[in-house]
Amino acid sequence: MRGLILAVQFLTRLPTPQLADFKPEWLAASARWFPAVGVIVGALLLAALQLGSLADPWLAALLALLAWVMVTGGLHLDGLADLADALGAAHRSCERFFEVLKDPHLGSFGVLSLLLAVIAKLVLLMLIARQAGTAWGLLLVPAWARGFAVIWSATLPAIAPGSGERFAWRRDWAGMGLNLAALLALSAWLAPALLLAPLAGLAWRTFLQRRLGGMTGDCLGAGVELCEIAMLGLLLWRVPAPFGWLH
């Protein structure tokens, strides 16, 4: 269970047992557990949404969004803001891009990206709370996004040192294949619209390849946020589930 514990520690702020020892390669090996951690995050989101839905869809959306930020510690929102600042200020200059990416200060592009991301999630969560039968997909949205991050780090070169490079040390193709198969099967069961989720992951990978020629940890975080927003939108597209009793 060491890999799962490390994955939970890296991706969330949830309490875990402390490991007596640590080796950098263990963190790369823990990537196979990222989708499972996503399911844990999704379960907490679903619980918050269902609780708030007892009163009002807007309250449901707010509670789910607060749970999302608190559980993850805003890890991927930080990457989105950093990448937005770097892309906005780079003006096609590679040196300027990395200079801004490393800057700890938040610029106007970063602020705007954060506002838009949070507002988009809030509104989409409210619509999901209002639309019966779509909330089950929240279990899988964070799982898909974290699975994408593993695939991006394994299939794109690291263009800067950091967390993205760390996870590229070990490419667990068998683990990625099993995770993909599991997510597809669960999507067919719980939220058929999410069978289109891989298109979001592919679109972000294509953007990184063409625009930057690779990835960084911030690129992975930004992709997680953007793909989560895209998948929330997919959940509003009603596709009949093969197991209708769940809805």
Side-chain angles (χ1 to χ4, degrees), residues 165-242:
E165 180 188 40
R166 257 179 280 167
F167 289 106
W169 288 348
R170 175 175 174 177
R171 292 170 173 82
D172 183 7
W173 301 113
M176 283 187 277
L178 287 173
N179 282 328
L180 178 60
L183 287 171
L184 287 171
L186 288 171
S187 295
W189 183 26
L190 297 173
L194 291 183
L195 292 172
L196 296 176
L199 295 178
L202 178 61
W204 186 246
R205 186 197 179 281
T206 301
F207 170 79
L208 293 179
Q209 179 68 57
R210 293 182 178 178
R211 179 68 174 83
L212 303 176
M215 61 84 194
T216 69
D218 286 328
C219 294
L220 301 183
V224 167
E225 285 294 328
L226 295 175
C227 285
E228 284 177 342
I229 292 170
M231 285 184 283
L232 289 178
L234 279 176
L235 289 180
L236 296 172
W237 181 30
R238 296 301 301 274
V239 177

Coordinates of all heavy atoms in Angstrom, one line a residue, residues 165-242:
E165 N 8.8 15.9 -14.3 CA 9.9 15.0 -14.7 C 10.1 13.8 -13.8 O 10.4 12.7 -14.2 CB 11.2 15.9 -14.6 CG 12.5 15.2 -14.9 CD 13.7 16.0 -14.6 OE1 13.7 16.7 -13.6 OE2 14.7 16.0 -15.4
R166 N 9.7 14.0 -12.5 CA 9.8 13.0 -11.5 C 9.0 11.8 -11.9 O 9.4 10.6 -11.8 CB 9.4 13.4 -10.1 CG 10.6 13.7 -9.2 CD 10.1 14.2 -7.9 NE 9.8 15.6 -7.9 CZ 9.2 16.3 -7.0 NH1 8.7 15.6 -5.9 NH2 9.0 17.6 -7.1
F167 N 7.7 12.0 -12.4 CA 6.8 11.0 -12.7 C 7.2 10.3 -14.1 O 6.7 9.3 -14.4 CB 5.4 11.4 -12.7 CG 4.9 11.7 -11.3 CD1 4.8 13.0 -10.8 CD2 4.7 10.6 -10.4 CE1 4.4 13.2 -9.5 CE2 4.2 10.9 -9.1 CZ 4.1 12.2 -8.7
A168 N 8.0 11.0 -14.9 CA 8.4 10.4 -16.1 C 9.6 9.4 -16.0 O 10.0 8.8 -16.9 CB 8.8 11.5 -17.1
W169 N 10.1 9.3 -14.7 CA 11.3 8.4 -14.5 C 10.9 7.0 -14.8 O 11.7 6.2 -15.3 CB 11.7 8.5 -13.1 CG 12.5 9.8 -12.8 CD1 12.9 10.7 -13.7 CD2 12.8 10.3 -11.5 NE1 13.5 11.8 -13.0 CE2 13.5 11.5 -11.7 CE3 12.6 9.8 -10.2 CZ2 13.9 12.3 -10.6 CZ3 13.1 10.6 -9.1 CH2 13.7 11.8 -9.3
R170 N 9.6 6.6 -14.5 CA 9.2 5.3 -14.7 C 7.9 5.2 -15.5 O 6.9 5.9 -15.1 CB 9.0 4.6 -13.4 CG 8.4 3.2 -13.5 CD 8.4 2.5 -12.1 NE 7.7 1.2 -12.2 CZ 7.6 0.4 -11.2 NH1 8.0 0.7 -10.0 NH2 6.9 -0.8 -11.3
R171 N 7.9 4.5 -16.6 CA 6.7 4.4 -17.5 C 6.1 3.1 -17.3 O 6.5 2.1 -17.8 CB 7.1 4.7 -18.9 CG 7.6 6.1 -19.2 CD 8.1 6.3 -20.6 NE 8.4 7.7 -20.9 CZ 9.5 8.3 -20.5 NH1 10.4 7.7 -19.7 NH2 9.7 9.6 -20.8
D172 N 5.0 3.0 -16.5 CA 4.3 1.8 -16.2 C 3.2 1.6 -17.2 O 2.0 1.9 -17.0 CB 3.7 1.9 -14.8 CG 3.1 0.6 -14.4 OD1 3.1 -0.4 -15.1 OD2 2.5 0.6 -13.3
W173 N 3.5 1.1 -18.4 CA 2.5 1.0 -19.5 C 1.4 0.0 -19.1 O 0.2 0.2 -19.4 CB 3.2 0.5 -20.8 CG 4.2 1.5 -21.2 CD1 5.6 1.2 -21.3 CD2 4.1 2.8 -21.7 NE1 6.3 2.3 -21.8 CE2 5.4 3.3 -22.0 CE3 3.0 3.6 -21.9 CZ2 5.6 4.6 -22.5 CZ3 3.2 4.9 -22.4 CH2 4.4 5.4 -22.7
A174 N 1.8 -1.1 -18.4 CA 0.7 -2.1 -18.0 C -0.2 -1.4 -17.1 O -1.5 -1.6 -17.2 CB 1.4 -3.3 -17.4
G175 N 0.3 -0.7 -16.1 CA -0.6 0.0 -15.1 C -1.5 1.0 -15.8 O -2.7 1.1 -15.5
M176 N -0.9 1.8 -16.7 CA -1.8 2.8 -17.4 C -2.9 2.1 -18.2 O -4.0 2.6 -18.3 CB -0.9 3.6 -18.3 CG -0.1 4.7 -17.6 SD 0.8 5.8 -18.7 CE 2.3 4.8 -19.0
G177 N -2.5 1.0 -18.9 CA -3.5 0.2 -19.6 C -4.7 -0.3 -18.8 O -5.8 -0.2 -19.1
L178 N -4.3 -0.8 -17.6 CA -5.3 -1.3 -16.7 C -6.2 -0.2 -16.2 O -7.4 -0.3 -16.1 CB -4.7 -2.1 -15.5 CG -4.0 -3.4 -15.8 CD1 -3.3 -4.0 -14.6 CD2 -5.2 -4.4 -16.2
N179 N -5.6 0.9 -15.8 CA -6.4 2.1 -15.4 C -7.3 2.6 -16.4 O -8.5 2.9 -16.2 CB -5.4 3.2 -14.9 CG -4.8 3.0 -13.6 OD1 -5.4 2.3 -12.7 ND2 -3.6 3.4 -13.4
L180 N -6.8 2.6 -17.7 CA -7.7 3.1 -18.8 C -8.9 2.2 -19.0 O -10.0 2.6 -19.1 CB -6.9 3.2 -20.1 CG -7.6 3.6 -21.3 CD1 -8.2 5.0 -21.1 CD2 -6.7 3.6 -22.5
A181 N -8.6 0.9 -18.9 CA -9.7 -0.1 -19.1 C -10.7 0.0 -18.0 O -11.9 0.0 -18.2 CB -9.1 -1.5 -19.2
A182 N -10.2 0.2 -16.8 CA -11.1 0.3 -15.6 C -12.0 1.6 -15.7 O -13.2 1.6 -15.4 CB -10.3 0.3 -14.3
L183 N -11.4 2.7 -16.1 CA -12.1 3.9 -16.2 C -13.1 3.9 -17.3 O -14.2 4.4 -17.2 CB -11.1 5.1 -16.5 CG -10.3 5.5 -15.3 CD1 -9.2 6.5 -15.7 CD2 -11.2 6.1 -14.2
L184 N -12.8 3.2 -18.4 CA -13.8 3.1 -19.5 C -15.0 2.2 -19.1 O -16.1 2.5 -19.4 CB -13.1 2.5 -20.7 CG -12.1 3.4 -21.5 CD1 -11.4 2.6 -22.6 CD2 -12.9 4.5 -22.2
A185 N -14.7 1.1 -18.4 CA -15.7 0.3 -17.9 C -16.6 1.0 -16.9 O -17.9 0.9 -17.0 CB -15.1 -1.0 -17.3
L186 N -16.0 1.7 -15.9 CA -16.8 2.4 -15.0 C -17.6 3.6 -15.6 O -18.8 3.9 -15.2 CB -15.9 3.0 -13.9 CG -15.3 1.9 -12.9 CD1 -14.3 2.6 -12.0 CD2 -16.4 1.3 -12.0
S187 N -17.0 4.2 -16.6 CA -17.8 5.2 -17.3 C -19.0 4.7 -18.0 O -20.1 5.3 -18.0 CB -16.8 6.0 -18.3 OG -15.8 6.6 -17.6
A188 N -18.8 3.5 -18.7 CA -19.9 2.9 -19.4 C -21.1 2.6 -18.4 O -22.2 2.6 -18.7 CB -19.5 1.7 -20.1
W189 N -20.7 2.3 -17.2 CA -21.6 1.9 -16.1 C -22.3 3.1 -15.5 O -23.5 3.2 -15.4 CB -20.9 1.1 -15.1 CG -21.8 0.5 -14.0 CD1 -23.1 0.2 -14.1 CD2 -21.4 0.1 -12.7 NE1 -23.6 -0.3 -12.9 CE2 -22.5 -0.3 -12.0 CE3 -20.2 0.1 -12.0 CZ2 -22.5 -0.8 -10.7 CZ3 -20.1 -0.3 -10.7 CH2 -21.3 -0.8 -10.1
L190 N -21.5 4.1 -15.1 CA -22.0 5.2 -14.3 C -22.3 6.4 -15.1 O -23.3 7.2 -14.7 CB -21.0 5.5 -13.2 CG -20.7 4.5 -12.1 CD1 -19.5 4.9 -11.3 CD2 -21.9 4.2 -11.3
A191 N -21.5 6.8 -16.1 CA -21.7 8.0 -16.8 C -21.2 7.8 -18.2 O -20.0 8.2 -18.5 CB -20.9 9.1 -16.1
P192 N -22.0 7.3 -19.1 CA -21.6 7.0 -20.5 C -21.0 8.2 -21.2 O -20.1 8.0 -22.1 CB -22.9 6.5 -21.1 CG -23.7 5.9 -20.0 CD -23.4 6.8 -18.8
A193 N -21.4 9.4 -20.9 CA -20.8 10.5 -21.6 C -19.3 10.6 -21.4 O -18.6 11.2 -22.2 CB -21.5 11.8 -21.1
L194 N -18.8 10.1 -20.3 CA -17.4 10.2 -20.0 C -16.6 9.2 -20.8 O -15.3 9.2 -20.7 CB -17.1 9.9 -18.5 CG -17.6 11.0 -17.6 CD1 -17.2 10.7 -16.1 CD2 -17.0 12.4 -18.0
L195 N -17.2 8.4 -21.6 CA -16.5 7.6 -22.6 C -15.8 8.5 -23.6 O -14.8 8.0 -24.3 CB -17.4 6.6 -23.3 CG -18.0 5.5 -22.5 CD1 -19.1 4.7 -23.3 CD2 -16.9 4.5 -22.0
L196 N -16.2 9.7 -23.7 CA -15.6 10.7 -24.6 C -14.4 11.4 -23.8 O -13.8 12.3 -24.5 CB -16.6 11.7 -25.1 CG -17.7 11.2 -26.0 CD1 -18.6 12.3 -26.4 CD2 -17.1 10.5 -27.3
A197 N -14.2 11.1 -22.6 CA -13.2 11.9 -21.8 C -11.8 11.8 -22.4 O -11.1 12.8 -22.4 CB -13.2 11.3 -20.3
P198 N -11.4 10.6 -23.0 CA -10.1 10.6 -23.6 C -9.8 11.7 -24.6 O -8.7 12.0 -24.8 CB -10.0 9.2 -24.2 CG -10.9 8.4 -23.3 CD -12.0 9.3 -23.0
L199 N -10.9 12.2 -25.2 CA -10.7 13.2 -26.2 C -10.1 14.5 -25.6 O -9.3 15.2 -26.2 CB -12.0 13.5 -27.0 CG -12.6 12.4 -27.8 CD1 -13.9 12.8 -28.4 CD2 -11.6 12.0 -28.9
A200 N -10.6 14.8 -24.4 CA -10.1 15.9 -23.6 C -8.6 15.8 -23.3 O -7.8 16.7 -23.5 CB -10.9 16.2 -22.4
G201 N -8.2 14.6 -22.8 CA -6.8 14.3 -22.5 C -6.0 14.4 -23.8 O -4.8 14.9 -23.7
L202 N -6.4 13.9 -24.9 CA -5.7 13.9 -26.1 C -5.5 15.4 -26.6 O -4.5 15.8 -27.1 CB -6.4 13.1 -27.2 CG -5.8 13.0 -28.6 CD1 -4.3 12.5 -28.5 CD2 -6.6 12.2 -29.6
A203 N -6.6 16.2 -26.5 CA -6.6 17.5 -26.9 C -5.5 18.3 -26.2 O -4.7 19.1 -26.8 CB -7.9 18.2 -26.8
W204 N -5.4 18.1 -24.9 CA -4.4 18.9 -24.1 C -3.0 18.4 -24.4 O -2.1 19.2 -24.5 CB -4.7 18.7 -22.6 CG -3.8 19.5 -21.7 CD1 -2.8 19.1 -20.9 CD2 -3.7 21.0 -21.7 NE1 -2.1 20.1 -20.3 CE2 -2.7 21.3 -20.8 CE3 -4.4 22.0 -22.4 CZ2 -2.3 22.6 -20.5 CZ3 -4.0 23.3 -22.1 CH2 -3.0 23.6 -21.2
R205 N -2.8 17.1 -24.6 CA -1.5 16.6 -25.0 C -1.1 17.2 -26.3 O 0.1 17.5 -26.5 CB -1.5 15.0 -25.1 CG -0.2 14.4 -25.3 CD -0.2 13.0 -25.8 NE 1.2 12.5 -26.0 CZ 1.9 12.8 -27.1 NH1 1.4 13.6 -28.0 NH2 3.1 12.3 -27.2
T206 N -2.0 17.2 -27.3 CA -1.7 17.8 -28.6 C -1.3 19.3 -28.4 O -0.3 19.7 -29.1 CB -2.9 17.7 -29.5 OG1 -3.3 16.3 -29.6 CG2 -2.6 18.3 -30.9
F207 N -2.0 20.0 -27.6 CA -1.6 21.4 -27.4 C -0.2 21.5 -26.8 O 0.6 22.4 -27.3 CB -2.6 22.1 -26.4 CG -2.2 23.4 -25.9 CD1 -2.4 24.5 -26.8 CD2 -1.6 23.6 -24.7 CE1 -2.0 25.8 -26.3 CE2 -1.2 24.8 -24.3 CZ -1.4 25.9 -25.1
L208 N 0.1 20.7 -25.8 CA 1.4 20.8 -25.2 C 2.5 20.4 -26.2 O 3.6 21.1 -26.2 CB 1.5 19.9 -24.0 CG 0.6 20.3 -22.8 CD1 0.8 19.2 -21.7 CD2 1.0 21.7 -22.2
Q209 N 2.2 19.4 -27.0 CA 3.2 19.0 -28.0 C 3.5 20.1 -29.0 O 4.6 20.4 -29.4 CB 2.8 17.7 -28.7 CG 3.7 17.2 -29.7 CD 5.0 16.7 -29.1 OE1 5.0 15.8 -28.3 NE2 6.1 17.2 -29.6
R210 N 2.4 20.7 -29.5 CA 2.6 21.7 -30.6 C 3.0 23.0 -30.1 O 3.8 23.7 -30.7 CB 1.3 21.8 -31.3 CG 0.9 20.6 -32.1 CD -0.4 20.8 -32.9 NE -0.7 19.6 -33.7 CZ -1.8 19.5 -34.4 NH1 -2.7 20.5 -34.5 NH2 -2.1 18.4 -35.1
R211 N 2.5 23.4 -28.9 CA 2.8 24.8 -28.4 C 4.1 24.9 -27.6 O 4.9 25.8 -27.8 CB 1.7 25.3 -27.5 CG 1.9 26.6 -26.9 CD 1.8 27.7 -28.0 NE 1.9 29.0 -27.4 CZ 3.0 29.7 -27.0 NH1 4.1 29.1 -27.2 NH2 2.9 30.9 -26.5
L212 N 4.4 23.8 -26.8 CA 5.6 23.9 -26.0 C 6.6 22.8 -26.3 O 7.8 22.9 -25.9 CB 5.2 23.7 -24.5 CG 4.2 24.7 -24.0 CD1 3.8 24.4 -22.5 CD2 4.8 26.1 -24.1
G213 N 6.2 21.8 -27.0 CA 7.2 20.7 -27.3 C 7.4 19.7 -26.2 O 8.3 18.9 -26.2
G214 N 6.6 19.8 -25.1 CA 6.8 18.9 -24.0 C 5.9 19.4 -22.8 O 4.9 20.1 -23.0
M215 N 6.3 19.0 -21.6 CA 5.5 19.3 -20.4 C 6.4 19.7 -19.2 O 7.5 19.4 -19.2 CB 4.6 18.1 -20.1 CG 5.3 16.8 -19.8 SD 5.8 16.7 -18.0 CE 6.9 15.3 -18.1
T216 N 5.7 20.3 -18.3 CA 6.3 20.6 -16.9 C 5.2 20.2 -15.9 O 4.1 19.9 -16.3 CB 6.6 22.1 -16.8 OG1 5.4 22.8 -16.7 CG2 7.5 22.6 -17.9
G217 N 5.5 20.3 -14.7 CA 4.5 20.0 -13.6 C 3.4 20.9 -13.7 O 2.2 20.5 -13.5
D218 N 3.6 22.2 -14.0 CA 2.5 23.2 -14.1 C 1.6 22.8 -15.3 O 0.4 23.0 -15.3 CB 3.1 24.6 -14.3 CG 3.7 25.1 -13.0 OD1 3.1 24.8 -11.9 OD2 4.6 25.9 -13.1
C219 N 2.2 22.3 -16.4 CA 1.4 21.9 -17.6 C 0.5 20.8 -17.2 O -0.7 20.8 -17.6 CB 2.3 21.5 -18.7 SG 3.3 22.8 -19.4
L220 N 1.0 19.9 -16.4 CA 0.1 18.7 -16.0 C -1.0 19.2 -15.1 O -2.2 18.8 -15.3 CB 1.0 17.7 -15.2 CG 2.2 17.1 -16.0 CD1 2.8 16.0 -15.1 CD2 1.7 16.5 -17.3
G221 N -0.7 20.1 -14.1 CA -1.7 20.7 -13.3 C -2.8 21.4 -14.0 O -4.0 21.3 -13.8
A222 N -2.3 22.3 -15.0 CA -3.3 23.0 -15.8 C -4.2 22.1 -16.6 O -5.4 22.3 -16.7 CB -2.5 24.0 -16.7
G223 N -3.6 21.0 -17.1 CA -4.4 20.1 -17.9 C -5.4 19.4 -17.1 O -6.5 19.1 -17.5
V224 N -5.0 19.0 -15.8 CA -6.0 18.4 -14.9 C -7.2 19.3 -14.7 O -8.4 18.9 -14.8 CB -5.3 18.1 -13.6 CG1 -6.4 17.7 -12.5 CG2 -4.4 16.9 -13.7
E225 N -7.0 20.6 -14.5 CA -8.1 21.5 -14.2 C -8.9 21.7 -15.5 O -10.2 21.6 -15.4 CB -7.5 22.9 -13.8 CG -7.0 23.0 -12.4 CD -8.1 22.8 -11.4 OE1 -9.3 23.2 -11.6 OE2 -7.8 22.2 -10.3
L226 N -8.3 21.9 -16.6 CA -9.1 22.1 -17.8 C -9.9 20.9 -18.3 O -11.0 21.0 -18.7 CB -8.2 22.6 -19.0 CG -7.5 23.9 -18.7 CD1 -6.5 24.2 -19.8 CD2 -8.6 25.0 -18.7
C227 N -9.3 19.7 -18.1 CA -10.0 18.5 -18.4 C -11.1 18.2 -17.5 O -12.2 17.7 -17.9 CB -9.0 17.3 -18.5 SG -7.9 17.3 -19.9
E228 N -10.9 18.5 -16.2 CA -12.0 18.4 -15.2 C -13.2 19.2 -15.6 O -14.4 18.8 -15.6 CB -11.6 18.7 -13.8 CG -10.7 17.6 -13.2 CD -10.2 18.0 -11.8 OE1 -10.2 19.2 -11.5 OE2 -9.8 17.1 -11.1
I229 N -13.0 20.5 -16.1 CA -14.0 21.4 -16.5 C -14.7 20.8 -17.7 O -16.0 20.8 -17.8 CB -13.5 22.8 -16.8 CG1 -13.0 23.4 -15.5 CG2 -14.5 23.6 -17.5 CD1 -12.2 24.7 -15.7
A230 N -13.9 20.3 -18.7 CA -14.5 19.7 -19.9 C -15.4 18.5 -19.6 O -16.5 18.3 -20.1 CB -13.4 19.3 -20.9
M231 N -14.9 17.7 -18.6 CA -15.7 16.5 -18.3 C -17.0 16.8 -17.5 O -18.0 16.1 -17.6 CB -14.8 15.5 -17.5 CG -13.8 14.8 -18.4 SD -12.8 13.6 -17.6 CE -11.6 14.6 -16.7
L232 N -16.9 17.9 -16.7 CA -18.2 18.3 -16.0 C -19.2 18.7 -17.1 O -20.4 18.4 -16.9 CB -17.9 19.5 -15.1 CG -17.1 19.2 -13.8 CD1 -16.8 20.5 -13.0 CD2 -17.8 18.2 -12.9
G233 N -18.7 19.4 -18.1 CA -19.6 19.7 -19.2 C -20.2 18.5 -19.9 O -21.3 18.4 -20.3
L234 N -19.3 17.4 -20.1 CA -19.8 16.2 -20.7 C -20.9 15.5 -19.9 O -21.8 14.9 -20.4 CB -18.6 15.2 -20.8 CG -17.7 15.4 -22.0 CD1 -16.5 14.4 -21.9 CD2 -18.4 15.2 -23.3
L235 N -20.8 15.6 -18.6 CA -21.8 15.0 -17.7 C -23.2 15.6 -18.0 O -24.2 14.9 -17.7 CB -21.4 15.2 -16.2 CG -20.2 14.4 -15.7 CD1 -20.0 14.7 -14.2 CD2 -20.4 12.9 -15.9
L236 N -23.3 16.8 -18.4 CA -24.6 17.4 -18.7 C -25.2 16.9 -20.0 O -26.3 17.2 -20.3 CB -24.4 18.9 -18.7 CG -24.0 19.5 -17.4 CD1 -23.7 21.0 -17.6 CD2 -25.1 19.3 -16.4
W237 N -24.4 16.2 -20.8 CA -24.9 15.6 -22.0 C -25.4 14.2 -21.7 O -24.7 13.3 -21.4 CB -23.7 15.5 -23.0 CG -24.1 14.9 -24.4 CD1 -25.4 15.0 -24.9 CD2 -23.3 14.1 -25.2 NE1 -25.4 14.3 -26.1 CE2 -24.1 13.8 -26.4 CE3 -22.0 13.7 -25.2 CZ2 -23.7 13.0 -27.4 CZ3 -21.5 12.9 -26.3 CH2 -22.4 12.6 -27.3
R238 N -26.7 14.1 -21.7 CA -27.4 12.9 -21.2 C -27.3 11.8 -22.2 O -27.8 11.9 -23.3 CB -28.8 13.2 -20.9 CG -29.1 14.2 -19.8 CD -28.4 13.7 -18.4 NE -29.0 12.4 -18.0 CZ -30.1 12.3 -17.3 NH1 -30.8 13.3 -16.9 NH2 -30.5 11.1 -16.9
V239 N -26.5 10.7 -21.8 CA -26.5 9.5 -22.6 C -27.0 8.4 -21.7 O -26.6 8.2 -20.6 CB -25.0 9.2 -22.9 CG1 -24.9 7.9 -23.7 CG2 -24.4 10.3 -23.7
P240 N -28.0 7.6 -22.2 CA -28.6 6.5 -21.4 C -27.5 5.6 -20.9 O -26.7 5.1 -21.6 CB -29.6 5.9 -22.4 CG -29.8 6.9 -23.4 CD -28.6 7.7 -23.6
A241 N -27.6 5.3 -19.6 CA -26.7 4.3 -19.0 C -27.2 2.9 -19.1 O -28.4 2.7 -19.0 CB -26.4 4.7 -17.5
P242 N -26.4 1.9 -19.3 CA -26.8 0.5 -19.4 C -27.4 0.0 -18.1 O -28.1 -1.0 -18.1 CB -25.6 -0.3 -19.8 CG -24.4 0.6 -19.5 CD -24.9 2.0 -19.5

